[in-house]
Amino acid sequence: MPKTQKVPEATIKRLSIYMRVLKDLEKKNTEVISSADLAEICGINAAQIRKDLTYFGEFGVRGVGYFVKELHFDIRKVLGLNEKRNLALIGVGNLGRALLSYKNFADHGYDFVAAFDTDKEKIGSDLPCGIPVYSMDKLDSLAKDLGIDIVIITTPAEFAQDAADKAVAAGVRGILNFAPTQLNIPREVHLKRVDLTTEFDNLAYHLHAG
Amino acid sequence: MPKTQKVPEATIKRLSIYMRVLKDLEKKNTEVISSADLAEICGINAAQIRKDLTYFGEFGVRGVGYFVKELHFDIRKVLGLNEKRNLALIGVGNLGRALLSYKNFADHGYDFVAAFDTDKEKIGSDLPCGIPVYSMDKLDSLAKDLGIDIVIITTPAEFAQDAADKAVAAGVRGILNFAPTQLNIPREVHLKRVDLTTEFDNLAYHLHAG
DNA sequence: TGGTGTGAACAACTTCACAGCG
DNA sequence: CGCTGTGAAGTTGTTCACACCA
């Protein structure tokens, strides 16, 4: 029976990992897997996996394990990945272009539908991947017309807050920020940050301090 | 007095954020900042900041706050960023190329010194950023000759483990993995992972479930 | 028998509240 | 007086250990 208790953020992150592993297992025609075996593959404690899953239901069979195909489907449903998500990118630099052409996203149901920039040279052209580059003025109307769910910000740090403000004003509800700066946005908009320099700093610390 | 207790991983991540903010403050000639004001800028609890800092020393002045320039310097030292770090990239695709040309890394003391790939078309050429592309066979000798500290893996998932194994064999002590797969590496090598699809999945979940 | 589901113990991290010092 | 440094309390997340069931 699905519990109505608060789900830890960390659990959500792990579901995404389980899903990827289950996808692979499905491809290899593995039909059943125990939490212990899944734990081994994911490098996560088996009790943790069982607990994560029971936040959303009882998916396993005692004495047997989990049916791979079924569990994969159930996790997809929990994460809300059955509907496609429309993405837009703000800031068409090297990183932005690389993300636009990253095949993996499409496989997972994420589609880039537009890109935005302030550079007049870029606006109006289509990118190699076929996505058009619009002026920032168009963000508001296009967000509504195209149904943009998530915006990816790959602008320089000093323009990121402005980009975020415009995205929020346009009704976007999820933002993934690659710019190395803290963004202020309303509580109801979901924000995630990928901070590459922080990751390097972290490695550097461990190389130097143990 | 610096305590000899274990420093939480989360603290290290935040130090990296404080450093970026302090850098900005220094540029604006702010001389002193209180934990409350720094907390406001970073979106982090003030007590948390004070506690993070005292793992490494007593950097503040009671009744006054922290001297920006001094604290910036001290955190750099704690993170081990005074020495430059040599980076190498394995997997010269779109994402890899974007990372190689990302200006921010150089500003923070991270220098790409080599790139590796298995594609004969790419090997031997220099990239636009001036970095040479080598065959994977060269990884072992070059890692030693060039003093590669950290390797960034941007290969497709199926080649990532092999890339990691070769990097470990070559004596590299830090790995940043962008490939969407779990890597097995010895405990003494530091591994960090940036998983873009997981970030999207996370946003998708929150859009759909609250 | 073997593996799930789960309460209880444990561990890690965060926040509070205030003593102590410049 | 104001802000740091810090023990203690509170909160969140992880692991254990075992009852329970196919």
Side-chain angles (χ1 to χ4, degrees):
Chain A
M1 66 192 93
K3 299 296 160 47
T4 327
Q5 69 188 270
K6 197 159 49 59
V7 180
E9 188 59 20
T11 290
I12 306 301
K13 285 189 195 165
R14 285 189 296 264
L15 287 184
S16 185
I17 293 173
Y18 305 154
M19 215 181 56
R20 175 146 58 224
V21 172
L22 289 167
K23 205 174 194 176
D24 280 357
L25 289 171
E26 209 179 325
K27 227 177 279 173
K28 289 184 206 154
N29 296 312
T30 307
E31 297 198 346
V32 177
I33 191 159
S34 67
S35 62
D37 290 351
L38 188 54
E40 172 69 26
I41 299 173
C42 300
I44 289 171
N45 178 295
Q48 180 78 80
I49 294 183
R50 295 199 298 277
K51 183 147 282 194
D52 284 342
L53 295 176
T54 53
Y55 283 111
F56 302 99
E58 298 198 5
F59 301 114
V61 181
R62 288 166 201 242
V64 177
Y66 299 87
F67 291 103
V68 170
K69 200 168 173 176
E70 219 172 86
L71 185 58
H72 179 196
F73 178 85
D74 289 331
I75 296 181
R76 279 188 65 83
K77 202 162 102 187
V78 164
L79 290 176
L81 298 178
N82 290 323
E83 38 186 326
K84 290 218 171 283
R85 297 289 175 183
N86 291 325
L87 312 182
L89 183 126
I90 306 182
V92 183
N94 286 310
L95 180 58
R97 267 186 284 255
L99 294 175
L100 287 169
S101 57
Y102 195 47
K103 301 288 187 303
N104 242 348
F105 299 154
D107 293 352
H108 285 249
Y110 299 108
D111 282 328
F112 278 107
V113 295
F116 297 89
D117 206 298
T118 52
D119 182 346
K120 294 209 169 58
E121 298 282 308
K122 289 171 185 164
I123 295 166
S125 63
D126 278 17
L127 294 166
C129 51
I131 292 159
V133 181
Y134 298 103
S135 148
M136 285 295 289
D137 306 337
K138 297 287 196 306
L139 177 57
D140 198 77
S141 59
L142 281 172
K144 282 142 194 167
D145 295 351
L146 300 175
I148 294 172
D149 298 299
I150 298 174
V151 156
I152 293 88
I153 296 180
T154 48
T155 64
E158 55 271 37
F159 305 128
Q161 183 63 56
D162 183 59
D165 292 343
K166 288 190 165 113
V168 169
V172 168
R173 291 180 49 234
I175 294 178
L176 185 57
N177 177 34
F178 283 82
T181 186
Q182 315 294 320
L183 295 180
N184 286 311
I185 54 157
R187 188 92 27 97
E188 70 270 18
V189 177
H190 298 279
L191 172 66
K192 296 234 63 181
R193 174 139 163 253
V194 176
D195 190 332
L196 301 175
T197 306
T198 293
E199 303 292 340
F200 282 119
D201 287 351
N202 211 290
L203 280 172
Y205 170 78
H206 289 293
L207 294 187
H208 139 97
Chain B
M1 71 193 89
K3 299 295 162 45
T4 326
Q5 67 186 273
K6 195 160 50 59
V7 179
E9 189 57 22
T11 290
I12 305 301
K13 286 190 195 165
R14 284 188 298 263
L15 287 185
S16 185
I17 294 174
Y18 305 154
M19 216 181 55
R20 175 147 57 224
V21 172
L22 289 168
K23 205 175 194 174
D24 280 358
L25 289 171
E26 209 178 323
K27 229 178 278 173
K28 290 185 204 153
N29 296 312
T30 307
E31 296 198 347
V32 177
I33 191 160
S34 67
S35 61
D37 290 351
L38 187 56
E40 173 69 27
I41 299 174
C42 300
I44 289 170
N45 179 295
Q48 180 77 83
I49 294 184
R50 294 198 297 276
K51 184 148 283 198
D52 284 344
L53 295 176
T54 54
Y55 283 111
F56 301 100
E58 298 197 5
F59 300 115
V61 181
R62 287 162 202 244
V64 178
Y66 299 88
F67 291 103
V68 170
K69 200 168 172 179
E70 218 173 87
L71 185 59
H72 180 196
F73 178 84
D74 289 332
I75 297 181
R76 278 187 67 82
K77 202 162 102 185
V78 163
L79 289 177
L81 298 178
N82 290 321
E83 39 186 325
K84 292 217 168 285
R85 297 288 175 185
N86 291 324
L87 312 182
L89 184 127
I90 306 181
V92 184
N94 286 311
L95 180 58
R97 266 186 285 256
L99 293 176
L100 287 170
S101 57
Y102 195 46
K103 301 289 186 304
N104 242 350
F105 298 155
D107 292 352
H108 285 249
Y110 298 108
D111 283 328
F112 277 107
V113 295
F116 298 88
D117 206 297
T118 52
D119 182 345
K120 293 208 173 57
E121 298 282 307
K122 288 171 187 163
I123 295 166
S125 63
D126 278 16
L127 294 166
C129 51
I131 292 159
V133 180
Y134 299 103
S135 147
M136 285 295 289
D137 306 337
K138 298 286 195 306
L139 177 57
D140 199 76
S141 59
L142 281 172
K144 282 144 195 167
D145 294 351
L146 300 175
I148 294 172
D149 299 299
I150 299 174
V151 156
I152 293 88
I153 296 180
T154 48
T155 64
E158 55 270 39
F159 304 128
Q161 183 63 56
D162 183 58
D165 292 344
K166 289 191 165 111
V168 169
V172 168
R173 292 182 47 234
I175 294 178
L176 184 58
N177 177 32
F178 283 82
T181 186
Q182 315 294 321
L183 295 181
N184 286 309
I185 55 157
R187 189 89 27 97
E188 69 272 17
V189 177
H190 298 279
L191 173 66
K192 296 235 59 180
R193 173 140 164 250
V194 176
D195 190 330
L196 300 174
T197 306
T198 294
E199 303 293 339
F200 282 120
D201 288 350
N202 211 289
L203 280 171
Y205 170 78
H206 289 294
L207 294 186
H208 139 96

